Amino acid sequence: MSQKKNIIIFDTTLRDGEQSPGASLTIQEKVIIAKQLAKLGVDVIEAGFPIASDGDFEAVTRIAKEVKGPVICGLARTLKKDIDRAWDAVKHAKKPRIHTFIATSDVHLSAKLRKSKEEVKQMVAEAVAYAKSLCKDVEFSPEDAARTDIDYMVEIVRTAIAAGATTINIPDTVGYAEPAEFGRRIAYIFERLPEAKAVVISVHCHDDLGLAVANSLAGVMSGATQVECTINGIGERAGNCSLEEVVMNIRTRSDYFKECTTSINTREIYKTSRLVSNLTGLSVQRNKAIVGLNAFAHEAGIHQHGVITNKQTYEIMNPGDVGWAGDNLVIGKHSGKHAVEETLKEEGYDFTAEQLADIVQKVKDLADKQKTLHREDIMAIATDVIGALDSAEQLVVLDEIAVATGNRREPEATVTLIVGGKKKTGSGKGLGPVDAVNKAIQSVIGKGITLEEYNLKAITGGTDALANVGITVKDSAGVKYRAEAVDGDVIMASAYALVKGINRALAGKKGCGKDAPEEI
Ligand code: KIV
Ligand code: ZN
């Protein structure tokens, strides 16, 4: 029997994924996700872009120190200061990697970099050689490769390999390629460069035309042995190639991807998807392949009958293989700390003893109010507690809130906040009670911070469902901050989320990956 080749799964959830509009993660949240990615069995974790912000540097450093198993990679432009910063963060890992990149398409060269092809080639040679002097594992990406003149791309790849790159990544940065075309581009590298066989050729596709997974798999069919992807396909604009879809294609269609396999423990997929969705606040669409709530639901009677008779009639994958437990764990007022702790550990959460005590207290408070809590509720509460600001960051504290609403009156709210140790009360009227609360808070805070986006989601259950509110506020400089809160009461969850967002804006705290430098 021929030996299958391992397709390297390079996860960039914490770097490209975190660049999703609306996502931002704290350092602790990034570490939690990285630990779960290691359990999932990814080969490489791209932990961040260390030059982008101090928060991102710290997150990459902590992941390099604490997460065992995968290669830990940091992104850097082809600049010495970026490469130094990336190395300073990843050098603590047992298996560190520096990933350096520069754009090579005509439009990027002329409109963004304002550099000639020769100048860029020179930068690639110098940057890769410099990275190699620090780290033996160096990846190079010609950004916007899919729109780069193919012979110039080959020339750049040749230069990077000659300078010491061990992985060459071919990005379709703007999701422009078509599968057969992208596959040919990868095949062309092998045709033109015999030395390409001695390095790893990787693919990195974006989903602007919905083809990121198809293009990545076309790359694999042409000889690429690394796929760059994210959990739930999150990422810039329409997102990146979805990890779970690529992995389950290779596994489910092993008859087609004959020579290929991955080292992913697919039973961890669903759990990882939920964790990333909870911590980033980016929901997974119900009908998303592999991890959507409906992915294994059979609604039509004829399908249900078929599946009962023989699962293979309408099921090409076993739900258990991606970790669908279908469990209905319920936590009530008699469940103890241990049950909560075990549930969270199973779900990949990591917390301090104080955070656990806080989570358990909140679970008990809700259970005392006769709420039956499900796994999703516990995770939402944990996400809320882990994302809580410490007392030094709480410049504004919610003290009291009163709301009056009804069908014959205009909704009205009165809110007392503690600002700088002093109680301040304000009131407001609105279209609904949440709008009134927002106006009341604004009347105390002033016009400098405005609400940009508001999302409300019920976690589980009926009218006693936990409300999860996600908001985005904008400060006077136009910088956006995201915050989330959960509570059994929609109005309270909204008020907590608003106050958390205002505190983040006042502290200028954006999460750790968002200040990526715009230009080289
Ligand atoms: O999409 C892209 O080109 C990237 C590179 C930095 C690899 O994310
Ligand atoms: Zn990308």
Side-chain angles (χ1 to χ4, degrees):
M1 220 175 64
S2 71
Q3 178 82 20
K4 290 206 174 212
K5 65 180 170 203
N6 186 52
I7 301 300
I8 299 165
I9 299 298
F10 175 116
D11 182 280
T12 184
T13 305
L14 298 175
R15 201 277 298 167
D16 225 353
E18 214 234 1
Q19 280 170 230
S20 303
S24 75
L25 294 164
T26 63
I27 294 169
Q28 191 189 355
E29 288 165 342
K30 280 193 157 197
V31 175
I32 290 174
I33 291 177
K35 287 186 176 164
Q36 179 56 31
L37 291 171
K39 272 201 211 151
L40 178 66
V42 306
D43 301 281
V44 186
I45 294 175
E46 186 163 56
F49 192 0
I51 193 93
S53 67
D54 290 344
D56 223 21
F57 176 80
E58 203 182 323
V60 180
T61 306
R62 275 197 53 194
I63 291 168
K65 286 182 178 166
E66 294 176 35
V67 179
K68 307 286 173 235
V71 171
I72 307 297
C73 173
L75 186 67
R77 293 167 297 179
T78 46
L79 298 177
K80 185 174 178 298
K81 62 175 180 179
D82 279 40
I83 295 170
D84 283 335
R85 195 80 173 138
W87 176 241
D88 277 345
V90 297
K91 68 181 178 199
H92 308 280
K94 195 152 183 224
K95 293 182 273 176
R97 175 180 295 185
I98 298 173
H99 176 190
T100 183
F101 75 100
I102 188 165
T104 50
S105 62
D106 286 347
V107 61
H108 278 244
L109 254 54
S110 59
K112 185 174 94 168
L113 301 175
R114 296 179 209 283
K115 293 199 186 298
S116 70
K117 287 185 168 170
E118 252 332 290
E119 281 173 304
V120 166
K121 196 170 128 184
Q122 187 61 28
M123 288 175 78
V124 172
E126 284 168 14
V128 172
Y130 182 61
K132 189 76 178 186
S133 73
L134 302 172
C135 180
K136 66 178 184 341
D137 187 347
V138 175
E139 172 166 334
F140 170 74
S141 294
E143 189 190 6
D144 205 15
R147 291 193 302 166
T148 297
D149 169 74
I150 197 155
D151 290 312
Y152 179 58
M153 182 194 81
V154 167
E155 198 44 40
I156 288 287
V157 170
R158 189 201 315 271
T159 306
I161 297 176
T166 39
T167 297
I168 298 292
N169 179 44
I170 304 299
D172 179 15
T173 305
V174 290
Y176 181 74
E178 296 292 328
E181 178 191 46
F182 192 68
R184 274 201 305 275
R185 186 170 280 269
I186 301 299
Y188 191 67
I189 297 175
F190 288 108
E191 278 159 34
R192 290 281 312 279
L193 299 176
E195 61 268 46
K197 290 209 173 62
V199 299
V200 170
I201 299 294
S202 165
V203 287
H204 174 117
C205 299
H206 280 265
D207 209 29
D208 299 66
L209 290 172
L211 291 170
V213 173
N215 286 339
S216 303
L217 291 171
V220 167
M221 291 304 279
S222 293
T225 50
Q226 174 175 288
V227 176
E228 302 201 352
C229 42
T230 61
I231 301 296
N232 302 333
I234 64 170
E236 281 275 16
R237 307 179 308 277
N240 285 57
C241 169
S242 139
L243 180 148
E244 58 280 5
E245 292 177 26
V246 157
V247 167
M248 290 312 287
N249 266 275
I250 293 174
R251 181 185 160 115
T252 309
R253 294 301 311 275
S254 58
D255 59 320
Y256 186 79
F257 297 99
K258 280 190 177 53
E259 299 167 1
C260 306
T261 186
T262 73
S263 43
I264 295 297
N265 175 2
T266 60
R267 290 184 169 272
E268 292 288 325
I269 284 180
Y270 187 58
K271 192 191 284 183
T272 316
S273 160
R274 276 206 293 208
L275 185 71
V276 169
S277 166
N278 276 322
L279 294 182
T280 56
L282 297 173
S283 317
V284 175
Q285 82 202 48
R286 283 187 91 93
N287 62 327
K288 160 93 175 61
I290 319 293
V291 291
L293 268 184
N294 290 358
F296 297 100
H298 302 280
E299 183 73 18
I302 189 168
H303 287 205
Q304 288 172 348
H305 175 72
V307 170
I308 291 165
T309 320
N310 179 344
K311 279 193 185 313
Q312 283 181 359
T313 48
Y314 289 103
E315 252 178 37
I316 59 165
M317 288 167 278
N318 176 353
D321 287 351
V322 297
W324 268 83
D327 78 340
N328 50 4
L329 170 121
V330 169
I331 298 234
K333 58 178 163 195
H334 302 299
S335 314
K337 175 178 162 203
H338 190 65
V340 173
E341 187 175 4
E342 277 311 299
T343 307
L344 290 174
K345 284 204 169 136
E346 269 168 39
E347 294 295 336
Y349 280 78
D350 206 9
F351 32 78
T352 62
E354 294 83 64
Q355 285 171 332
L356 178 62
D358 207 359
I359 297 165
V360 171
Q361 191 53 52
K362 289 205 155 103
V363 168
K364 275 195 183 323
D365 290 348
L366 278 163
D368 281 344
K369 291 181 189 159
Q370 305 306 318
K371 159 102 183 126
T372 307
L373 287 109
H374 296 262
R375 190 175 284 269
E376 304 282 350
D377 297 313
I378 312 291
M379 287 163 66
I381 292 168
T383 305
D384 191 29
V385 168
I386 287 166
L389 305 173
D390 59 39
S391 49
E393 294 167 322
Q394 289 182 37
L395 306 168
V396 177
V397 177
L398 180 63
D399 183 52
E400 200 178 338
I401 187 164
V403 175
T405 188
N407 63 341
R408 289 179 196 269
R409 60 174 300 163
E410 199 179 355
E412 199 172 351
T414 304
V415 168
T416 302
L417 302 175
I418 303 174
V419 187
K422 288 203 185 98
K423 282 194 182 183
K424 292 191 176 174
T425 300
S427 49
K429 292 183 173 183
L431 271 179
V434 172
D435 191 32
V437 166
N438 181 36
K439 298 229 167 83
I441 292 177
Q442 294 287 322
S443 76
V444 177
I445 298 297
K447 292 203 181 338
I449 301 170
T450 50
L451 178 64
E452 280 286 293
E453 209 182 305
Y454 173 91
N455 283 299
L456 168 65
K457 160 171 105 187
I459 310 282
T460 58
T463 47
D464 68 344
L466 264 193
N468 181 329
V469 173
I471 58 111
T472 307
V473 294
K474 192 161 87 178
D475 70 11
S476 50
V479 184
K480 291 184 181 172
Y481 301 85
R482 193 179 70 83
E484 273 189 62
V486 289
D487 197 273
D489 181 322
V490 173
I491 309 292
M492 292 312 298
S494 306
Y496 288 136
L498 281 164
V499 170
K500 200 189 259 185
I502 288 166
N503 275 313
R504 288 218 160 115
L506 291 173
K509 197 173 158 71
K510 291 186 76 187
C512 45
K514 294 308 221 171
D515 308 322
E518 272 167 17
E519 298 292 325
I520 183 163

